[in-house]
Amino acid sequence: MIKSHGYAARDKQSPLGSFDFERREVGPKDVLIDIQFCGVCHSDLHQVRDEWGGSIYPMVPGHEIVGRVAKVGAQVKKFKAGDLAGVGCMVDSCRECNSCREGEEQYCDRGQTVLTYNSRAKDGSPTYGGYSNNIVCDEAFVLKVSPKLNLAAVAPLLCAGITTYSPLRHWGVGEGQRVGVVGLGGLGHMALKFAHAFGAHVTQFTTSPGKEQDAIRLGAHEVVLTRDPANLAKLAGSFHFIIDTVSAPHDLNAYITMLRRNGHMVLVGAPEKPAPVAAFPLIMGRRSLAGSAIGGVRETQEMLDYCAEKNIVSDVELTPIQKINQAYERMVRNDVKYRFVIDMASLK
Ligand SMILES: [Zn+2]
Ligand SMILES: [Zn+2]
């Protein structure tokens, strides 16, 4: 077994603390990565606190992982020791169903997507995530990372990046289209950067007047403050596509009404409680409301390559792992621009 050291939650009440554990030996198709940076995703906090139920403890969170390959198995083709590499939200799936064969492993038809942490590998052992010094992963789920970009700022692309890139691509967002981004946090700021890069006219919706300048800097063509309903009413029928990144309860109907005929609104944030949706705004205008989850391995690699070409990274604030609990408190208050990333050098 390979010795690992990281930070874990022992139960749903306790703060994260130092934790020693073991990972499997490097198998023929496995890659051992020395982790350099790991992004802090809002879903880490939800799972640490068991807010979605079924949490497995002790839990080492983290699914925005980047680092350097330390060792590869005998049959590994994509990587060699010394390469930069990344691991996102998944480490395995059934690999046989239609979704898996079509490169959409996150939607595995058999429900056998193995998540990077708080999940169980095919042998039943719990998976441990990136708040640690290393990880062992099958090369089929390891991403290539370009040395051109700031590595710490690449980490959040593995979840926040692909979660926003995938729906924008799936629904063909591009030039000549008007796109709305709801919420300016970890997900929202990436949606803004991608929609801008794809050539759309982008409107940022936010509750915070203080974020206007930042939204413009990140690529918004205009910013709309949502606290005043009149600002939204003026934009009825305006948008081809709206991506909603907000995980707090909010009124979806006000946004659906802002779609054009045949427009799509896609949810990537997940409020805990169901939200009422009125039928008429959908019917009148043939509008649709959809959801989207991360992206497959192939598309995640495409996104990373696109980011390297266009010089797109996340806006991050580095934190030592010893301050992860304070980082969680600040994340809950939206007091981060726009993603915490743990500098794993602090672990030593
Ligand atoms: Zn995430
Ligand atoms: Zn499958």
Side-chain angles (χ1 to χ4, degrees):
M1 300 292 271
I2 289 171
K3 289 205 178 309
S4 293
H5 176 56
Y7 264 51
R10 260 71 175 198
D11 56 57
K12 67 179 180 183
Q13 283 102 17
S14 312
L16 271 68
S18 183
F19 179 60
D20 289 307
F21 59 106
E22 289 181 327
R23 296 190 185 272
R24 67 169 184 266
E25 273 301 338
V26 178
K29 292 181 172 167
D30 283 339
V31 175
L32 171 67
I33 300 167
D34 285 337
I35 299 174
Q36 295 183 359
F37 300 100
C38 184
V40 179
C41 178
H42 220 109
S43 69
D44 298 347
L45 182 58
H46 286 301
Q47 293 176 85
V48 159
R49 296 187 178 168
D50 198 21
E51 287 167 357
W52 294 341
S55 284
I56 303 167
Y57 300 99
M59 184 195 302
V60 178
H63 58 205
E64 295 182 340
I65 298 165
V66 289
R68 217 169 263 288
V69 174
K71 190 178 172 185
V72 298
Q75 294 170 24
V76 168
K77 295 189 179 76
K78 274 163 57 184
F79 297 93
K80 59 180 189 315
D83 287 350
L84 291 176
V87 176
C89 302
M90 308 176 283
V91 290
D92 205 352
S93 72
C94 92
R95 310 193 196 195
E96 291 167 351
C97 72
N98 285 338
S99 291
C100 286
R101 278 188 285 131
E102 288 165 14
E104 306 268 26
E105 302 89 350
Q106 75 279 28
Y107 303 124
C108 177
D109 302 347
R110 299 176 183 166
Q112 291 175 11
T113 307
V114 179
L115 301 174
T116 303
Y117 70 90
N118 193 26
S119 184
R120 293 201 183 270
K122 283 175 181 160
D123 67 2
S125 59
T127 55
Y128 296 117
Y131 292 11
S132 61
N133 61 337
N134 59 24
I135 189 166
V136 177
C137 184
D138 189 305
E139 71 163 334
F141 286 79
V142 181
L143 290 312
K144 288 175 175 290
V145 171
S146 167
K148 280 201 281 188
L149 301 173
N150 171 8
L151 194 60
V154 167
L157 300 178
L158 275 309
C159 174
I162 188 60
T163 298
T164 51
Y165 180 94
S166 181
L168 291 169
R169 284 298 197 211
H170 180 79
W171 276 278
V173 166
E175 275 172 39
Q177 295 197 349
R178 286 195 68 179
V179 170
V181 176
V182 187
L184 182 53
L187 291 172
H189 93 291
M190 289 312 306
L192 195 47
K193 289 185 185 204
F194 285 132
H196 182 98
F198 297 169
H201 180 95
V202 195
T203 301
Q204 176 69 51
F205 293 98
T206 178
T207 53
S208 324
K211 285 184 175 172
E212 271 180 284
Q213 285 310 311
D214 237 22
I216 301 287
R217 175 181 66 80
L218 292 164
H221 297 91
E222 60 182 348
V223 181
V224 173
L225 295 174
T226 54
R227 288 253 157 83
D228 182 356
N231 292 340
L232 305 186
K234 268 189 288 198
L235 291 166
S238 297
F239 294 95
H240 297 85
F241 187 86
I242 295 175
I243 181 166
D244 185 344
T245 70
V246 175
S247 56
H250 59 291
D251 176 22
L252 300 180
N253 300 301
Y255 292 100
I256 292 168
T257 307
M258 285 188 279
L259 291 171
R260 293 185 181 212
R261 177 169 52 87
N262 298 332
H264 304 284
M265 169 142 153
V266 175
L267 309 180
V268 292
E272 280 165 53
K273 290 198 181 121
V277 172
F280 268 114
L282 290 173
I283 293 169
M284 300 313 293
R286 200 164 48 201
R287 296 152 166 154
S288 66
L289 177 64
S292 181
I294 50 171
V297 175
R298 189 165 61 211
E299 191 174 43
T300 305
Q301 188 63 62
E302 175 195 304
M303 179 270 312
L304 288 170
D305 295 346
Y306 180 84
C307 288
E309 185 193 323
K310 302 285 183 182
N311 202 23
I312 295 172
V313 288
S314 184
D315 284 30
V316 301
E317 177 177 335
L318 280 180
T319 180
I321 200 160
Q322 293 81 2
K323 289 196 171 167
I324 185 62
N325 296 300
Q326 290 96 314
Y328 277 2
E329 294 308 320
R330 284 184 49 198
M331 182 169 66
V332 169
R333 298 196 303 265
N334 285 325
D335 176 23
V336 56
K337 287 182 174 174
Y338 281 90
R339 201 68 148 180
F340 280 113
V341 171
I342 302 167
D343 183 353
M344 226 49 76
S346 63
L347 195 56
K348 299 202 172 79

